[in-house]
PDB file of all heavy atoms in Angstrom:
ATOM      1  N   CYS A1008      92.170  83.154 100.414  1.00  0.00           N
ATOM      2  CA  CYS A1008      92.359  83.882 101.650  1.00  0.00           C
ATOM      3  C   CYS A1008      93.853  83.893 102.043  1.00  0.00           C
ATOM      4  O   CYS A1008      94.493  82.807 101.969  1.00  0.00           O
ATOM      5  CB  CYS A1008      91.560  83.165 102.759  1.00  0.00           C
ATOM      6  SG  CYS A1008      91.627  83.978 104.369  1.00  0.00           S
ATOM      7  N   THR A1009      94.380  85.060 102.370  1.00  0.00           N
ATOM      8  CA  THR A1009      95.879  85.098 102.645  1.00  0.00           C
ATOM      9  C   THR A1009      96.058  85.986 103.916  1.00  0.00           C
ATOM     10  O   THR A1009      95.221  86.786 104.300  1.00  0.00           O
ATOM     11  CB  THR A1009      96.599  85.814 101.527  1.00  0.00           C
ATOM     12  OG1 THR A1009      96.139  87.186 101.407  1.00  0.00           O
ATOM     13  CG2 THR A1009      96.358  85.148 100.180  1.00  0.00           C
ATOM     14  N   THR A1010      97.207  85.714 104.483  1.00  0.00           N
ATOM     15  CA  THR A1010      97.811  86.595 105.563  1.00  0.00           C
ATOM     16  C   THR A1010      99.111  86.972 104.955  1.00  0.00           C
ATOM     17  O   THR A1010      99.158  87.620 103.857  1.00  0.00           O
ATOM     18  CB  THR A1010      97.925  85.886 106.937  1.00  0.00           C
ATOM     19  OG1 THR A1010      98.659  84.634 106.698  1.00  0.00           O
ATOM     20  CG2 THR A1010      96.568  85.606 107.492  1.00  0.00           C
ATOM     21  N   ASP A1011     100.232  86.618 105.630  1.00  0.00           N
ATOM     22  CA  ASP A1011     101.557  86.771 104.952  1.00  0.00           C
ATOM     23  C   ASP A1011     101.811  85.644 103.970  1.00  0.00           C
ATOM     24  O   ASP A1011     102.687  85.775 103.076  1.00  0.00           O
ATOM     25  CB  ASP A1011     102.704  86.746 106.003  1.00  0.00           C
ATOM     26  CG  ASP A1011     102.545  87.983 106.954  1.00  0.00           C
ATOM     27  OD1 ASP A1011     102.031  89.031 106.522  1.00  0.00           O
ATOM     28  OD2 ASP A1011     102.889  87.837 108.114  1.00  0.00           O
ATOM     29  N   THR A1012     101.034  84.617 104.105  1.00  0.00           N
ATOM     30  CA  THR A1012     101.114  83.475 103.155  1.00  0.00           C
ATOM     31  C   THR A1012      99.655  83.134 102.727  1.00  0.00           C
ATOM     32  O   THR A1012      98.662  83.600 103.305  1.00  0.00           O
ATOM     33  CB  THR A1012     101.753  82.247 103.826  1.00  0.00           C
ATOM     34  OG1 THR A1012     100.934  81.865 104.945  1.00  0.00           O
ATOM     35  CG2 THR A1012     103.134  82.535 104.293  1.00  0.00           C
ATOM     36  N   VAL A1013      99.561  82.269 101.746  1.00  0.00           N
ATOM     37  CA  VAL A1013      98.301  81.843 101.224  1.00  0.00           C
ATOM     38  C   VAL A1013      97.702  80.781 102.204  1.00  0.00           C
ATOM     39  O   VAL A1013      98.343  79.779 102.431  1.00  0.00           O
ATOM     40  CB  VAL A1013      98.356  81.281  99.823  1.00  0.00           C
ATOM     41  CG1 VAL A1013      96.981  80.692  99.342  1.00  0.00           C
ATOM     42  CG2 VAL A1013      98.885  82.294  98.833  1.00  0.00           C
ATOM     43  N   VAL A1014      96.574  81.124 102.766  1.00  0.00           N
ATOM     44  CA  VAL A1014      95.918  80.207 103.784  1.00  0.00           C
ATOM     45  C   VAL A1014      94.939  79.319 103.024  1.00  0.00           C
ATOM     46  O   VAL A1014      94.835  78.139 103.317  1.00  0.00           O
ATOM     47  CB  VAL A1014      95.117  81.028 104.867  1.00  0.00           C
ATOM     48  CG1 VAL A1014      94.353  80.135 105.789  1.00  0.00           C
ATOM     49  CG2 VAL A1014      96.155  81.935 105.541  1.00  0.00           C
ATOM     50  N   LEU A1015      94.213  79.788 102.062  1.00  0.00           N
ATOM     51  CA  LEU A1015      93.167  79.033 101.356  1.00  0.00           C
ATOM     52  C   LEU A1015      93.107  79.509  99.923  1.00  0.00           C
ATOM     53  O   LEU A1015      93.012  80.685  99.667  1.00  0.00           O
ATOM     54  CB  LEU A1015      91.859  79.294 102.024  1.00  0.00           C
ATOM     55  CG  LEU A1015      90.606  78.444 101.521  1.00  0.00           C
ATOM     56  CD1 LEU A1015      90.864  76.931 101.733  1.00  0.00           C
ATOM     57  CD2 LEU A1015      89.359  78.836 102.337  1.00  0.00           C
ATOM     58  N   ASN A1016      93.222  78.583  99.027  1.00  0.00           N
ATOM     59  CA  ASN A1016      93.178  78.838  97.630  1.00  0.00           C
ATOM     60  C   ASN A1016      92.553  77.669  96.909  1.00  0.00           C
ATOM     61  O   ASN A1016      93.164  76.643  96.669  1.00  0.00           O
ATOM     62  CB  ASN A1016      94.611  79.116  96.975  1.00  0.00           C
ATOM     63  CG  ASN A1016      94.508  79.541  95.555  1.00  0.00           C
ATOM     64  OD1 ASN A1016      93.510  79.863  95.025  1.00  0.00           O
ATOM     65  ND2 ASN A1016      95.712  79.585  94.913  1.00  0.00           N
ATOM     66  N   LYS A1017      91.199  77.791  96.624  1.00  0.00           N
ATOM     67  CA  LYS A1017      90.461  76.563  96.285  1.00  0.00           C
ATOM     68  C   LYS A1017      89.436  76.924  95.248  1.00  0.00           C
ATOM     69  O   LYS A1017      88.720  77.918  95.370  1.00  0.00           O
ATOM     70  CB  LYS A1017      89.774  75.999  97.497  1.00  0.00           C
ATOM     71  CG  LYS A1017      89.122  74.670  97.264  1.00  0.00           C
ATOM     72  CD  LYS A1017      88.523  74.141  98.652  1.00  0.00           C
ATOM     73  CE  LYS A1017      87.799  72.818  98.470  1.00  0.00           C
ATOM     74  NZ  LYS A1017      87.271  72.379  99.759  1.00  0.00           N
ATOM     75  N   VAL A1018      89.259  76.140  94.157  1.00  0.00           N
ATOM     76  CA  VAL A1018      88.204  76.180  93.235  1.00  0.00           C
ATOM     77  C   VAL A1018      87.036  75.374  93.788  1.00  0.00           C
ATOM     78  O   VAL A1018      87.233  74.240  94.191  1.00  0.00           O
ATOM     79  CB  VAL A1018      88.653  75.642  91.847  1.00  0.00           C
ATOM     80  CG1 VAL A1018      87.411  75.663  90.869  1.00  0.00           C
ATOM     81  CG2 VAL A1018      89.742  76.544  91.222  1.00  0.00           C
ATOM     82  N   VAL A1019      85.839  75.979  93.826  1.00  0.00           N
ATOM     83  CA  VAL A1019      84.763  75.409  94.584  1.00  0.00           C
ATOM     84  C   VAL A1019      83.544  75.032  93.764  1.00  0.00           C
ATOM     85  O   VAL A1019      82.579  74.427  94.218  1.00  0.00           O
ATOM     86  CB  VAL A1019      84.375  76.221  95.766  1.00  0.00           C
ATOM     87  CG1 VAL A1019      85.472  76.402  96.764  1.00  0.00           C
ATOM     88  CG2 VAL A1019      83.825  77.572  95.322  1.00  0.00           C
ATOM     89  N   GLY A1020      83.556  75.361  92.476  1.00  0.00           N
ATOM     90  CA  GLY A1020      82.386  74.942  91.669  1.00  0.00           C
ATOM     91  C   GLY A1020      82.184  75.860  90.473  1.00  0.00           C
ATOM     92  O   GLY A1020      82.683  77.041  90.436  1.00  0.00           O
ATOM     93  N   PRO A1021      81.436  75.411  89.535  1.00  0.00           N
ATOM     94  CA  PRO A1021      81.207  76.208  88.238  1.00  0.00           C
ATOM     95  C   PRO A1021      80.051  77.232  88.376  1.00  0.00           C
ATOM     96  O   PRO A1021      79.159  77.107  89.274  1.00  0.00           O
ATOM     97  CB  PRO A1021      80.822  75.153  87.214  1.00  0.00           C
ATOM     98  CG  PRO A1021      80.161  74.053  88.064  1.00  0.00           C
ATOM     99  CD  PRO A1021      80.813  74.059  89.394  1.00  0.00           C
ATOM    100  N   LEU A1022      80.138  78.206  87.551  1.00  0.00           N
ATOM    101  CA  LEU A1022      79.069  79.194  87.461  1.00  0.00           C
ATOM    102  C   LEU A1022      78.776  79.368  85.943  1.00  0.00           C
ATOM    103  O   LEU A1022      79.713  79.704  85.195  1.00  0.00           O
ATOM    104  CB  LEU A1022      79.448  80.586  88.050  1.00  0.00           C
ATOM    105  CG  LEU A1022      78.490  81.768  87.776  1.00  0.00           C
ATOM    106  CD1 LEU A1022      77.120  81.526  88.482  1.00  0.00           C
ATOM    107  CD2 LEU A1022      79.098  83.057  88.108  1.00  0.00           C
ATOM    108  N   ILE A1023      77.593  79.161  85.544  1.00  0.00           N
ATOM    109  CA  ILE A1023      77.240  79.347  84.154  1.00  0.00           C
ATOM    110  C   ILE A1023      76.099  80.330  84.039  1.00  0.00           C
ATOM    111  O   ILE A1023      75.053  80.246  84.740  1.00  0.00           O
ATOM    112  CB  ILE A1023      76.719  77.999  83.502  1.00  0.00           C
ATOM    113  CG1 ILE A1023      77.870  77.004  83.473  1.00  0.00           C
ATOM    114  CG2 ILE A1023      76.197  78.242  82.029  1.00  0.00           C
ATOM    115  CD1 ILE A1023      77.520  75.656  82.851  1.00  0.00           C
ATOM    116  N   ARG A1024      76.269  81.345  83.207  1.00  0.00           N
ATOM    117  CA  ARG A1024      75.288  82.326  82.892  1.00  0.00           C
ATOM    118  C   ARG A1024      74.843  82.176  81.418  1.00  0.00           C
ATOM    119  O   ARG A1024      75.698  82.134  80.532  1.00  0.00           O
ATOM    120  CB  ARG A1024      75.763  83.779  83.089  1.00  0.00           C
ATOM    121  CG  ARG A1024      76.218  84.053  84.551  1.00  0.00           C
ATOM    122  CD  ARG A1024      76.581  85.414  84.748  1.00  0.00           C
ATOM    123  NE  ARG A1024      77.823  85.836  83.917  1.00  0.00           N
ATOM    124  CZ  ARG A1024      78.392  87.023  83.941  1.00  0.00           C
ATOM    125  NH1 ARG A1024      77.883  87.945  84.755  1.00  0.00           N
ATOM    126  NH2 ARG A1024      79.393  87.298  83.215  1.00  0.00           N
ATOM    127  N   THR A1025      73.600  82.043  81.215  1.00  0.00           N
ATOM    128  CA  THR A1025      73.035  81.790  79.872  1.00  0.00           C
ATOM    129  C   THR A1025      72.078  82.946  79.503  1.00  0.00           C
ATOM    130  O   THR A1025      71.321  83.398  80.242  1.00  0.00           O
ATOM    131  CB  THR A1025      72.270  80.472  79.841  1.00  0.00           C
ATOM    132  OG1 THR A1025      73.176  79.370  80.075  1.00  0.00           O
ATOM    133  CG2 THR A1025      71.672  80.216  78.426  1.00  0.00           C
ATOM    134  N   LYS A1026      72.208  83.360  78.207  1.00  0.00           N
ATOM    135  CA  LYS A1026      71.436  84.472  77.684  1.00  0.00           C
ATOM    136  C   LYS A1026      70.953  84.175  76.275  1.00  0.00           C
ATOM    137  O   LYS A1026      71.408  83.201  75.649  1.00  0.00           O
ATOM    138  CB  LYS A1026      72.255  85.739  77.671  1.00  0.00           C
ATOM    139  CG  LYS A1026      73.495  85.732  76.776  1.00  0.00           C
ATOM    140  CD  LYS A1026      74.232  86.954  76.822  1.00  0.00           C
ATOM    141  CE  LYS A1026      75.458  86.944  75.860  1.00  0.00           C
ATOM    142  NZ  LYS A1026      76.266  88.126  75.848  1.00  0.00           N
ATOM    143  N   SER A1027      70.109  84.994  75.786  1.00  0.00           N
ATOM    144  CA  SER A1027      69.649  84.889  74.402  1.00  0.00           C
ATOM    145  C   SER A1027      70.894  85.144  73.463  1.00  0.00           C
ATOM    146  O   SER A1027      71.651  86.027  73.768  1.00  0.00           O
ATOM    147  CB  SER A1027      68.502  85.890  74.111  1.00  0.00           C
ATOM    148  OG  SER A1027      68.325  85.961  72.731  1.00  0.00           O
ATOM    149  N   ALA A1028      70.920  84.429  72.401  1.00  0.00           N
ATOM    150  CA  ALA A1028      72.064  84.628  71.437  1.00  0.00           C
ATOM    151  C   ALA A1028      72.007  85.982  70.756  1.00  0.00           C
ATOM    152  O   ALA A1028      73.024  86.425  70.228  1.00  0.00           O
ATOM    153  CB  ALA A1028      72.051  83.560  70.443  1.00  0.00           C
ATOM    154  N   THR A1029      70.889  86.702  70.858  1.00  0.00           N
ATOM    155  CA  THR A1029      70.776  87.976  70.282  1.00  0.00           C
ATOM    156  C   THR A1029      71.171  89.098  71.175  1.00  0.00           C
ATOM    157  O   THR A1029      71.326  90.258  70.800  1.00  0.00           O
ATOM    158  CB  THR A1029      69.340  88.251  69.842  1.00  0.00           C
ATOM    159  OG1 THR A1029      68.482  88.205  70.963  1.00  0.00           O
ATOM    160  CG2 THR A1029      68.897  87.266  68.831  1.00  0.00           C
ATOM    161  N   GLU A1030      71.531  88.827  72.464  1.00  0.00           N
ATOM    162  CA  GLU A1030      71.916  89.794  73.402  1.00  0.00           C
ATOM    163  C   GLU A1030      73.431  89.933  73.454  1.00  0.00           C
ATOM    164  O   GLU A1030      74.189  88.922  73.397  1.00  0.00           O
ATOM    165  CB  GLU A1030      71.452  89.467  74.815  1.00  0.00           C
ATOM    166  CG  GLU A1030      69.960  89.639  75.044  1.00  0.00           C
ATOM    167  CD  GLU A1030      69.586  91.092  75.231  1.00  0.00           C
ATOM    168  OE1 GLU A1030      70.437  91.950  75.256  1.00  0.00           O
ATOM    169  OE2 GLU A1030      68.316  91.282  75.335  1.00  0.00           O
ATOM    170  N   ASN A1031      73.928  91.118  73.494  1.00  0.00           N
ATOM    171  CA  ASN A1031      75.378  91.366  73.651  1.00  0.00           C
ATOM    172  C   ASN A1031      75.776  91.270  75.080  1.00  0.00           C
ATOM    173  O   ASN A1031      76.707  90.465  75.460  1.00  0.00           O
ATOM    174  CB  ASN A1031      75.786  92.767  73.071  1.00  0.00           C
ATOM    175  CG  ASN A1031      75.940  92.747  71.533  1.00  0.00           C
ATOM    176  OD1 ASN A1031      76.341  91.724  70.992  1.00  0.00           O
ATOM    177  ND2 ASN A1031      75.563  93.811  70.907  1.00  0.00           N
ATOM    178  N   GLU A1032      75.105  92.004  75.976  1.00  0.00           N
ATOM    179  CA  GLU A1032      75.442  91.966  77.360  1.00  0.00           C
ATOM    180  C   GLU A1032      74.845  90.788  78.103  1.00  0.00           C
ATOM    181  O   GLU A1032      73.895  90.132  77.461  1.00  0.00           O
ATOM    182  CB  GLU A1032      74.863  93.293  78.076  1.00  0.00           C
ATOM    183  CG  GLU A1032      75.626  94.508  77.669  1.00  0.00           C
ATOM    184  CD  GLU A1032      77.063  94.570  78.198  1.00  0.00           C
ATOM    185  OE1 GLU A1032      77.368  93.787  79.024  1.00  0.00           O
ATOM    186  OE2 GLU A1032      77.808  95.425  77.779  1.00  0.00           O
ATOM    187  N   GLY A1033      75.363  90.398  79.226  1.00  0.00           N
ATOM    188  CA  GLY A1033      74.894  89.164  79.892  1.00  0.00           C
ATOM    189  C   GLY A1033      74.843  89.245  81.380  1.00  0.00           C
ATOM    190  O   GLY A1033      74.814  88.190  81.994  1.00  0.00           O
ATOM    191  N   GLY A1034      74.615  90.410  82.060  1.00  0.00           N
ATOM    192  CA  GLY A1034      74.581  90.420  83.458  1.00  0.00           C
ATOM    193  C   GLY A1034      73.331  89.829  83.998  1.00  0.00           C
ATOM    194  O   GLY A1034      72.209  90.051  83.537  1.00  0.00           O
ATOM    195  N   VAL A1035      73.436  88.969  85.021  1.00  0.00           N
ATOM    196  CA  VAL A1035      72.303  88.416  85.736  1.00  0.00           C
ATOM    197  C   VAL A1035      71.555  89.542  86.490  1.00  0.00           C
ATOM    198  O   VAL A1035      70.305  89.645  86.503  1.00  0.00           O
ATOM    199  CB  VAL A1035      72.663  87.279  86.691  1.00  0.00           C
ATOM    200  CG1 VAL A1035      71.542  86.773  87.467  1.00  0.00           C
ATOM    201  CG2 VAL A1035      73.321  86.143  85.841  1.00  0.00           C
ATOM    202  N   GLY A1036      72.312  90.336  87.165  1.00  0.00           N
ATOM    203  CA  GLY A1036      71.721  91.382  88.041  1.00  0.00           C
ATOM    204  C   GLY A1036      70.899  92.431  87.217  1.00  0.00           C
ATOM    205  O   GLY A1036      69.930  92.962  87.708  1.00  0.00           O
ATOM    206  N   VAL A1037      71.218  92.631  85.953  1.00  0.00           N
ATOM    207  CA  VAL A1037      70.464  93.604  85.124  1.00  0.00           C
ATOM    208  C   VAL A1037      69.364  92.861  84.347  1.00  0.00           C
ATOM    209  O   VAL A1037      68.717  93.455  83.485  1.00  0.00           O
ATOM    210  CB  VAL A1037      71.357  94.342  84.171  1.00  0.00           C
ATOM    211  CG1 VAL A1037      72.294  95.300  85.027  1.00  0.00           C
ATOM    212  CG2 VAL A1037      72.189  93.454  83.329  1.00  0.00           C
TER     213      VAL A1037
END
Side-chain angles (χ1 to χ4, degrees):
C1008 183
T1009 66
T1010 53
D1011 296 329
T1012 60
V1013 176
V1014 176
L1015 185 62
N1016 185 11
K1017 186 178 181 182
V1018 175
V1019 297
L1022 171 68
I1023 295 182
R1024 298 184 298 183
T1025 297
K1026 63 180 181 180
S1027 167
T1029 61
E1030 288 283 356
N1031 281 327
E1032 291 290 350
V1035 173
V1037 294

